[in-house]
Amino acid sequence: MEDERIKLIADKIKQLRIKAGYSSHENFAWEHELSRVQYWRVESGANITLKTLLRILDIHNLTLEDFF
């Protein structure tokens, strides 16, 4: 069973992307030099590493406290 907390984090990351004006995860990943496949996995909740989360938060100029 999937952990609901991971889904909530993934959904929040997706909303940050959309709020930043990117309708496509691929465009967002490309413009920020992230792997498109890896970023898709992050938004789907399949593969979120702490290192990737921190990089995404840096792109959005957010702290961990702001995010959570």
Side-chain angles (χ1 to χ4, degrees):
M1 178 175 216
E2 184 177 319
D3 190 324
E4 184 62 26
R5 295 172 295 180
I6 294 172
K7 176 85 169 103
L8 290 172
I9 292 169
D11 288 345
K12 190 163 185 177
I13 290 171
K14 181 178 181 178
Q15 291 306 313
L16 287 172
R17 171 183 53 83
I18 292 168
K19 186 177 177 182
Y22 294 89
S23 59
S24 163
H25 78 275
E26 291 179 335
N27 289 340
F28 179 84
W30 177 262
E31 287 188 24
H32 296 285
E33 299 179 359
L34 300 167
S35 162
R36 290 175 294 163
V37 173
Q38 179 185 15
Y39 188 76
W40 174 81
R41 288 181 183 146
V42 167
E43 284 196 2
S44 67
N47 184 25
I48 300 175
T49 66
L50 291 176
K51 186 175 181 179
T52 301
L53 174 61
L54 292 174
R55 185 156 180 221
I56 292 168
L57 294 182
D58 287 345
I59 290 167
H60 292 288
N61 295 312
L62 290 173
T63 65
L64 282 171
E65 293 82 6
D66 293 336
F67 183 74
F68 289 106

